[in-house]
Amino acid sequence: MDQHLRGLLTAAGIKLPAEGAQPPALSGGATARGPREEFSAPPESGDLAGVGPAGRDALMEALRYNVVAYTPEELVVIANKEFAWCDNEMLRASRELGFGDDWKKALEKVKNDYVAPGKMIYLVRELQKEALAFIDAHDLVTIPPLVREDWWEEAMTPQMQLASPFFLGGDVIMVSSPASTMALEERLEVLRGNNTNFSRGTVFHELVPGHHMQGYMSQRYRVYRAAFHTAFWTEGMAFYWEMLMWDLGYDRTPEQRIGVLFWRMHRCARIIFSLNFHLGQWPAQKCVDFLVDRVGHERANAEGEVRRSFEGSYEPIYQCAYMLGALQFYALHKEFVVSGRMSHRAFHDALYATGNMPVELVRASLAKISVSRDYQPNWKFYGTVTG
């Protein structure tokens, strides 16, 4: 290990072994990363493709089920257009930091602003408080008192982080953090990949008003719609909040904006790499390289992202649902709030009260559009798309 890396790890509070020492082996012949019995081990890093490409027919069927009126090819065009917006904003933030058009150097500065091992629990708490204060100040949504308090945190095991290198959330927010059984380089990648400014948006995405609040409200309003749940509602709404709070000025400094833009670029990239993979056009390794080169991921985190995407438990368009679902909610916001038809609070309260279902049907509910048994997707929430 070079001295620069040792210096970074030491500054992060990681106790280093002597030069040349290996991470300790675990009992039972387990790898140094450590198993967790209730979490199935992901494939080895060389096997990133999981169950393999789903094919175009499966993608079209998944889009029809989720009531999305675009083809996979049109969705890639949408993702590239959103990526271009991210590129421009990233360059603007990079220039503000004095890095000119070398946005990856600006990203490196942001990645190296992380808390010491063991301190992430306090960062999560403070970031959630900051988000709640902003939401309250702008009267954006009604938050039940219990939702503000009834969540807790857990650290993901090293084995879990092989496929989930970032936060997971709900009533529990699960945090990636370095562990003594990890190789030293892996610990640094965890710290850099979950730095202060990257965490700024992911905390409220996972907790309030994101997944934690979604779960709470879905158990109390129109619970019968759980049978029609879709990631376009769940992930899309959580990411929509990131987009809306950007518009309202939540992200002020260039470092904060870069942290948010990283995730926005990531969600664009998810559409591009996952659809190209399932269409049989990209191998899994190209997806990893794309995340590293185009978004700026740490390579181990990019590999974890690709493993998670293709290991078989997610539907083939799940990774598209973050950005595309958010764009659907963003279009609804323009239609009902920007137009003056509803206030922010009334609109967002209605979103939670409708229950989890395809976003085009949420629109039908808000607009009182009649839906027949043979209803087909027809809402062009992004307008007409041409290649």
Side-chain angles (χ1 to χ4, degrees), residues 214-229 352-357:
Q214 289 171 348
Y216 180 95
M217 301 298 281
S218 294
Q219 292 173 4
R220 291 159 174 81
Y221 292 91
R222 293 177 172 83
V223 295
Y224 52 85
R225 285 186 174 153
F228 309 103
H229 74 278
Y352 291 101
T354 59
N356 190 330
M357 60 180 179

Side-chain angles (χ1 to χ4, degrees), residues 355-375:
N356 190 330
M357 60 180 179
V359 186
E360 183 167 336
L361 301 184
V362 174
R363 177 176 182 261
S365 176
L366 293 176
K368 297 181 171 50
I369 297 172
S370 178
V371 176
S372 63
R373 283 181 175 271
D374 59 352
Y375 184 86

Side-chain angles (χ1 to χ4, degrees), residues 4-39:
H4 175 65
L5 178 56
R6 291 186 67 86
L8 288 173
L9 292 166
T10 301
I14 297 175
K15 185 177 180 181
L16 301 179
E19 288 280 6
Q22 297 298 315
L26 301 180
S27 60
T31 66
R33 291 190 179 195
R36 177 171 174 172
E37 292 182 358
E38 65 270 29
F39 184 84

Side-chain angles (χ1 to χ4, degrees), residues 49-62 72 273-282 309-310 312 314-318:
V51 296
R56 191 176 190 278
D57 289 346
L59 292 174
M60 290 297 296
E61 176 59 24
F273 85 71
S274 66
L275 291 181
N276 275 302
F277 174 83
H278 285 302
L279 288 169
Q281 297 174 359
W282 286 15
S309 300
F310 304 143
Y314 289 94
E315 63 174 329
I317 61 167
Y318 187 94

Side-chain angles (χ1 to χ4, degrees), residues 37 50 52 60 85 89 120 133 135 164 217 236 260 266 297 326 329 346:
E37 292 182 358
M60 290 297 296
W85 180 92
E89 289 296 325
M120 182 64 81
I135 290 166
S164 297
M217 301 298 281
V260 172
H266 176 63
H297 272 286
F329 282 113

